[in-house]
């Protein structure tokens, strides 16, 4: 009988020492897409054994970021801080089977040796001097109160290799690896021990993470071997660089995912953008005539995702591209789905819309093609949602400083009050007739009316705006033009 195919188990394992950053979110997204594509399990594990630098606020922030991006997990969150026994037990097993040993060298001794190594120009590495201490001897010394760490016994020769799903065959000389620490004297595991113990215990089939972990992997491979376990598939993701081709950092602007939410980016746009940061759907994106497709729904991403499509070269974070995705997504949203996101912006700005739901949705539909960010709906677009909005000073100066124009707009407002059939065509006809009658260019009235009605010099077609605002509002705002005080 054939053994049943193993279903994939993939994890995202952030350290809560900072907010969810772009690189972490991309790792989470690729792992999630892979789990969903393969019908596998996505596990969330919080690697919080650095007690000094980890905080529950950061955990909350990370979960919030994952929620915002629409990623759900099937198991967890598991907290490494609650799993210390497993790590101690794994270290004990490694000591028992001869792959690890207690080391009694003090921090000061190690430091002195490091300095003298640096002085003689040799690479400072632990020299393995405690390897010779027998288990019995170590147990006795610890019982007497001596402090010891547990170190892994790295083979003194040979190479350690693994097959990376992205970078191919990787090999490291064991002589380049020192006898690294597994367990500190206070019983807290190092990253290498906890990550391998957990990935084994949680039966991970794939480890997808940033390429900054590539150099850690041989140590972890040695641990798997020493524990008699087979390796998961490793897939290391290329780094994300800023536009100047250096590693993405605060210097390039926001690195925390939630900062992009705060900038008015819609989550689907950010997710689509992230998905293509170091991954490409290849042939599936090709179009017979035209450039490759770049907009993909979540279902499409899940369907197309594969480790083969991950790039070997570093990805560059391009803000203009992200802005492009955002406009495309805002445009394509159904207004009723965009509304809750806009309402969140309103709440943050302490703004209360004063129009009916139907009017609000119609205004959103009218404005969508012009929006660059959700922020626009809580700033330059506010005139469409109620009377609480600010006039753009430059626009007022440019188009409303002429008293005669303001008077005429006021009079125009009165004419609109008596217009029976208030449509785009009738409002336009009335304005043009009125302009001819007054001997003024229709353009001057249109520009002035646009500012009086929306507070802005740019807006959708004026007569569509009038219809969207409704007759009473148009009348009221135009009539008020006469009493505007211009500085
Ligand atoms: N906790 C590690 C980090 O945040 C991830 C380790 C891993 O994925 O193996 O970088």
């Amino acid at each position: 009988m054939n053994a049943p195919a193993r279903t994939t188990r993939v994890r995202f394992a952030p350290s809560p020492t900072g907010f969810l950053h772009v690189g972490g979110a991309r790792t989470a997204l690729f792992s999630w897409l892979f789990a969903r594509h393969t019908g596998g399990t996505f596990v969330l594990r919080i690697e919080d054994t650095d007690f000094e630098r980890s905080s529950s606020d950061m955990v909350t922030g990370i979960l919030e970021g994952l929620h915002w991006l629409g990623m759900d997990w099937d198991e967890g969150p598991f907290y490494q801080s609650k799993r210390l026994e497993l790590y101690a037990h794994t270290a004990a097993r490694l000591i028992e089977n001869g792959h690890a040993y207690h080391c009694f060298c003090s921090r000061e001794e190690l430091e002195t040796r490091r300095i003298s190594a640096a002085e003689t120009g040799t690479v400072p590495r632990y020299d393995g001097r405690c390897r010779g201490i027998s288990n019995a001897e170590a147990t006795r010394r610890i019982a007497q109160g001596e402090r010891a760490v547990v170190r892994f016994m790295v083979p003194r020769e040979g190479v350690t290799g693994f097959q990376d799903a992205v970078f191919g065959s990787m090999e490291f000389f064991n002589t380049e690896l020192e006898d690294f620490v597994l367990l500190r004297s206070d019983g807290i595991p190092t990253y290498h021990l906890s990550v391998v113990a957990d990935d084994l215990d949680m039966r991970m089939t794939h480890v997808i993470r940033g390429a900054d972990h590539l150099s850690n992997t041989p140590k972890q491979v040695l641990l798997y071997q020493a524990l008699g376990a087979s390796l998961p598939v490793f897939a290391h993701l290329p780094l994300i660089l800023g536009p100047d081709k250096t590693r993405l950092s605060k210097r390039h602007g926001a690195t925390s995912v939630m900062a992009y939410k705060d900038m008015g980016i819609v989550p689907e746009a950010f997710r689509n953008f992230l998905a293509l940061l170091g991954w490409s759907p290849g042939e599936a994106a090709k179009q017979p005539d035209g450039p490759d497709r770049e907009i993909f729904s979540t279902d499409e991403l899940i369907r197309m995702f594969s480790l083969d499509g991950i790039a070997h070269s570093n990805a560059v974070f391009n803000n203009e591209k992200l802005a492009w995705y955002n406009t495309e997504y805002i445009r394509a949203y159904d207004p009723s789905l965009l509304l809750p996101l806009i309402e969140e912006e309103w709440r943050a700005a302490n703004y209360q819309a004063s129009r009916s739901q139907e009017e609000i949705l119609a205004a959103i539909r009218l404005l969508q093609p012009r929006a660059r960010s959700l922020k626009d709906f809580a700033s330059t677009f506010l005139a469409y949602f109620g009377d609480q909005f600010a006039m753009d000073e430059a626009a007022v100066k440019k188009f409303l400083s002429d008293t005669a124009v303001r008077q005429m707009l006021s009079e125009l407002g009165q004419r609109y009050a008596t217009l029976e059939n208030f449509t785009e065509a009738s409002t336009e006809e009335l304005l043009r007739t009125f302009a001819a009658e007054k001997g003024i260019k229709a353009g001057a009235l249109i520009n002035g009316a646009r500012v009086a009605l929306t507070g802005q010099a740019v807006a959708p077609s004026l007569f569509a705006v009038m219809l969207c605002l409704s007759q009473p509002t148009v009348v009221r705002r135009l009539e008020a033009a006469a009493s505007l005080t211009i500085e």
Side-chain angles (χ1 to χ4, degrees):
M1 209 176 85
N2 287 337
R6 276 208 306 172
T7 51
T8 54
R9 292 180 57 84
V10 200
R11 82 299 196 279
F12 175 50
S15 303
T17 54
F19 292 110
L20 182 64
H21 55 83
V22 173
R26 201 258 320 243
T27 299
L29 180 61
F30 284 19
S31 307
W32 181 81
L33 287 173
F34 183 69
R36 294 292 171 256
H37 174 83
T38 53
T41 304
F42 183 54
V43 178
L44 179 60
R45 182 172 76 220
I46 305 293
E47 305 212 318
D48 58 347
T49 53
D50 183 342
F51 295 117
E52 268 165 35
R53 292 174 58 229
S54 301
S55 82
S56 61
D57 279 356
M58 295 302 173
V59 175
T60 311
I62 290 169
L63 302 189
E64 205 183 2
L66 294 174
H67 280 305
W68 181 63
L69 286 170
M71 284 182 250
D72 52 349
W73 50 92
D74 309 302
E75 291 177 21
F78 298 110
Y79 291 84
Q80 288 194 324
S81 56
K82 302 216 170 74
R83 300 168 55 83
L84 298 181
E85 245 174 66
L86 172 73
Y87 315 132
H89 179 76
T90 311
R93 254 179 74 197
L94 288 163
I95 294 175
E96 253 161 56
N97 69 19
H99 286 289
Y101 61 95
H102 281 108
C103 165
F104 293 87
C105 298
S106 70
R107 194 167 292 176
E108 295 72 31
E109 285 167 335
L110 293 172
E111 191 50 32
T112 317
R113 281 179 231 154
R114 209 183 317 272
I115 292 167
S116 61
E119 277 166 5
T120 56
T122 49
V123 183
R125 274 198 204 100
Y126 181 68
D127 58 9
R129 69 180 66 194
C130 291
R131 279 186 177 201
I133 300 170
S134 72
N135 260 344
E137 161 90 2
T139 313
R140 188 185 53 74
R141 285 174 66 172
I142 291 166
Q144 282 173 353
E146 270 193 73
R147 298 175 72 79
V149 301
V150 176
R151 284 184 189 272
F152 187 76
M153 203 181 287
V154 175
R156 288 229 156 104
E157 51 198 29
V159 290
T160 297
F162 60 94
Q163 198 61 30
D164 191 88
V166 177
F167 289 91
S169 175
M170 303 292 297
E171 283 196 337
F172 296 79
F173 287 108
N174 290 336
T175 45
E176 299 289 317
L177 311 171
E178 68 174 352
D179 283 0
F180 53 96
V181 175
L182 297 172
L183 206 60
R184 301 198 178 88
S185 57
D186 56 5
I188 304 301
T190 58
Y191 158 64
H192 297 299
L193 175 61
S194 53
V195 83
V196 171
D198 273 344
D199 284 342
L200 275 174
D201 187 59
M202 297 177 183
R203 305 182 324 282
M204 291 301 149
T205 58
H206 292 73
V207 168
I208 301 173
R209 60 186 175 194
D212 47 334
H213 284 295
L214 259 180
S215 60
N216 290 327
T217 310
K219 294 180 187 168
Q220 296 170 18
V221 167
L222 286 170
L223 281 175
Y224 279 95
Q225 291 167 348
L227 290 164
S230 51
L231 299 181
V233 173
F234 289 103
H236 286 90
L237 310 178
L239 299 181
I240 302 177
L241 308 179
D244 61 354
K245 308 285 158 64
T246 62
R247 204 170 158 185
L248 190 69
S249 73
K250 290 219 173 69
R251 281 182 299 113
H252 299 107
T255 54
S256 140
V257 164
M258 292 314 268
Y260 288 93
K261 173 179 189 276
D262 294 343
M263 284 178 212
I265 307 276
V266 293
E268 283 78 2
F270 198 72
R271 186 166 60 198
N272 194 153
F273 168 77
L274 266 190
L276 276 91
L277 212 50
W279 172 76
S280 138
E283 285 303 311
K286 294 266 176 282
Q287 302 190 107
D289 10 70
D292 288 2
R293 272 181 68 198
E294 293 177 287
I295 303 270
F296 300 104
S297 70
T298 308
D299 284 347
E300 286 177 304
L301 291 174
I302 290 175
R303 191 153 24 84
M304 296 183 318
F305 191 81
S306 84
L307 298 181
D308 295 341
I310 298 174
H312 301 202
S313 50
N314 294 331
V316 177
F317 191 98
N318 179 337
N319 275 305
E320 286 85 58
K321 190 92 225 178
L322 176 57
W324 175 80
Y325 272 112
N326 206 33
T327 47
E328 291 293 315
Y329 269 88
I330 291 180
R331 216 168 273 183
Y333 256 80
D334 187 285
S336 63
L337 296 178
L338 201 54
L339 180 57
L341 303 181
I342 294 174
E343 283 173 333
E344 216 177 314
E345 295 293 332
W346 287 343
R347 266 193 299 280
N350 234 331
Y351 172 81
Q352 190 115 34
S354 57
R355 305 192 67 195
S356 73
Q357 176 93 351
E358 206 183 316
E359 289 171 323
I360 288 174
L361 292 177
I364 293 175
R365 191 168 290 117
L366 179 69
L367 294 164
Q368 269 173 306
R370 304 188 154 254
R372 279 159 312 156
S373 134
L374 284 174
K375 291 274 167 239
D376 294 338
F377 291 91
S379 57
T380 50
F381 296 167
L382 280 183
Y384 298 82
F385 303 106
D387 286 332
Q388 189 194 331
F389 66 95
M391 294 280 222
D392 178 66
E393 274 183 41
V396 170
K397 228 180 219 143
K398 185 153 179 213
F399 297 115
L400 291 177
S401 47
D402 184 341
T403 322
V405 168
R406 294 209 308 278
Q407 284 297 347
M408 273 187 241
L409 287 175
S410 211
E411 205 178 313
L412 178 65
Q414 287 157 19
R415 299 267 180 110
Y416 277 134
T418 57
L419 182 60
E420 271 189 15
N421 192 12
F422 197 81
T423 64
E424 275 190 50
S426 69
T427 46
E428 175 162 8
E429 196 192 315
L430 191 151
L431 184 139
R432 293 197 187 277
T433 314
F434 179 80
E437 182 188 316
K438 296 284 173 191
I440 181 174
K441 279 201 182 115
L445 284 183
I446 290 176
N447 287 336
R450 186 181 296 116
V451 180
L453 294 176
T454 69
Q456 303 292 321
V458 282
S461 142
L462 179 67
F463 305 102
V465 169
M466 287 193 184
L467 208 69
C468 173
L469 290 178
S470 83
Q471 190 168 10
T473 307
V474 170
V475 170
R476 193 163 20 84
R477 290 188 189 166
L478 288 179
E479 283 187 338
S483 47
L484 266 182
T485 41
I486 314 285
E487 316 257 294

